[in-house]
Amino acid sequence: GDWICEVCDKLNFGRRDSRTCIGCKKRKPKIDTEEKVKRQPLLKAPCNKNELDPFLDFFGISSSNSAFQNVRIIHRKRERTFVLVSAPVAALSISEQWGAFREAGISLITMPTIPSGEEESENPKHTDITTLFDEAVPLLALHAKKRHINISTISFQKALAQSIFEDLKKETAETERIKTTIDLPLTPLCGNGPWYESHEIATEPGVFIVSCACPLKGDVGRFSFWCRRHTDGSVTTETSSRVLAAMLVVVHTYLEVTPAEGERNNLKWMGVD
């Protein structure tokens, strides 16, 4: 297995199958591997409750929710990245700088770093979510009881179309790829007025999640994206354009296949008679 040199603290991966350190060439010590794993520090320890609870509370998720028991934090100079990993990966975590740790997990959110000597409660800005990662949105949508709205499939399609339409004006490398792959008339799908004006959204600024359901033959496909509400009341969609485009193709196809039944089931799922 992987081992850390006791002389130079260099990480040596077990796949090298070498008995000497890659850094100082010192011979690998003869110690029990399991004992060495237990001594590995930092990200192996559970996430500090004072740091994790504000994040969970923001979305109305219980601190006892088993889905978030293996959250770890990568600390950087100006921000903290919350990462969800499996128990085996958490047990092998070596340091906050270990790149493989983040690659093997799901990056959830980023928050500002707490200055040394301050407590989380002393500055509410420390609990601001600066980024919500696209890969985390479906998981958070399953558990979030706050900062999460469910809308009809037709409204969801309108929101996707409007967001993509605005993104295509930027002419970036990503939007150029979308232009060559998406074959849908966006203008008719955009409708009239901003999609969010017809929905009750949390009044305070910040991030929130939008979801819809596509029930079909006993199964339910769920789609979600994340947005940011600004102090002037406007809303911008923050999920990447390529993800939005992929969802739009699926949702549009779904509505074409089941235009009436699909929307009726969707409203029932939302609790609308």
Side-chain angles (χ1 to χ4, degrees):
D2 301 342
W3 57 282
I4 300 176
C5 178
E6 295 182 338
V7 177
C8 67
D9 292 326
K10 201 80 170 182
L11 169 63
N12 291 267
F13 291 104
R15 64 173 180 267
R16 290 181 57 243
D17 195 24
S18 174
R19 296 181 180 275
T20 59
C21 174
I22 192 174
C24 66
K25 308 302 180 184
K26 194 72 175 180
R27 192 171 181 81
K28 178 181 178 181
K30 294 181 179 180
I31 59 173
D32 181 72
T33 302
E34 291 300 320
E35 179 184 347
K36 191 63 179 177
V37 169
K38 290 179 182 178
R39 292 169 57 190
Q40 292 171 352
L42 300 174
L43 289 173
K44 216 178 152 264
C47 181
N48 186 306
K49 182 178 175 63
N50 292 333
E51 291 191 271
L52 180 61
D53 282 357
F55 152 54
L56 295 178
D57 182 65
F58 184 86
F59 288 105
I61 300 173
S62 170
S63 58
S64 61
N65 191 312
S66 60
F68 298 90
Q69 294 306 301
N70 282 310
V71 175
R72 302 293 187 266
I73 298 180
I74 298 177
H75 290 273
R76 293 189 172 86
K77 187 175 181 180
R78 292 185 176 84
E79 66 180 19
R80 300 165 285 160
T81 300
F82 291 66
V83 184
L84 178 65
V85 297
S86 64
V89 172
L92 292 173
S93 301
I94 295 170
S95 76
E96 296 183 351
Q97 304 303 320
W98 190 35
F101 174 81
R102 180 166 174 176
E103 293 170 5
I106 299 177
S107 296
L108 300 172
I109 64 162
T110 60
M111 282 183 169
T113 294
I114 304 175
S116 178
E118 288 191 28
E119 295 293 334
E120 189 84 28
S121 59
E122 291 181 4
N123 189 343
K125 287 291 184 182
H126 297 157
T127 60
D128 286 349
I129 295 179
T130 53
T131 302
L132 202 166
F133 291 90
D134 290 348
E135 60 185 344
V137 174
L139 174 66
L140 290 171
L142 285 175
H143 300 277
K145 292 180 172 56
K146 289 164 44 180
R147 291 286 185 165
H148 180 211
I149 64 170
N150 293 299
I151 62 178
S152 71
T153 314
I154 291 177
S155 295
F156 194 85
Q157 176 181 248
K158 178 180 179 180
L160 294 176
Q162 289 185 358
S163 300
I164 295 170
F165 187 81
E166 288 302 314
D167 285 345
L168 289 177
K169 297 177 181 178
K170 301 173 185 177
E171 297 186 354
T172 63
E174 184 173 273
T175 56
E176 286 302 316
R177 286 194 294 269
I178 292 173
K179 288 178 182 178
T180 60
T181 56
I182 192 169
D183 187 24
L184 291 173
L186 290 178
T187 303
L189 299 180
C190 287
N192 298 317
W195 67 268
Y196 52 85
E197 287 187 347
S198 58
H199 298 284
E200 187 175 335
I201 300 174
T203 54
E204 62 271 23
V207 305
F208 64 97
I209 298 171
V210 180
S211 299
C212 82
C214 296
L216 184 65
K217 296 182 179 179
D219 292 323
V220 179
R222 292 183 173 86
F223 300 92
S224 304
F225 60 85
W226 70 285
C227 303
R228 191 184 307 276
R229 186 178 183 87
H230 304 281
T231 53
D232 62 0
S234 63
V235 173
T236 55
T237 301
E238 302 290 346
T239 294
S240 67
S241 301
R242 55 185 174 78
V243 175
L244 296 175
M247 288 193 289
L248 178 59
V249 172
V250 177
V251 171
H252 180 71
T253 302
Y254 170 79
L255 288 172
E256 284 192 326
V257 173
T258 58
E261 187 67 22
E263 192 62 11
R264 183 162 57 251
N265 288 336
N266 184 260
L267 292 172
K268 182 179 180 181
W269 176 79
M270 293 170 58
V272 178
D273 294 330

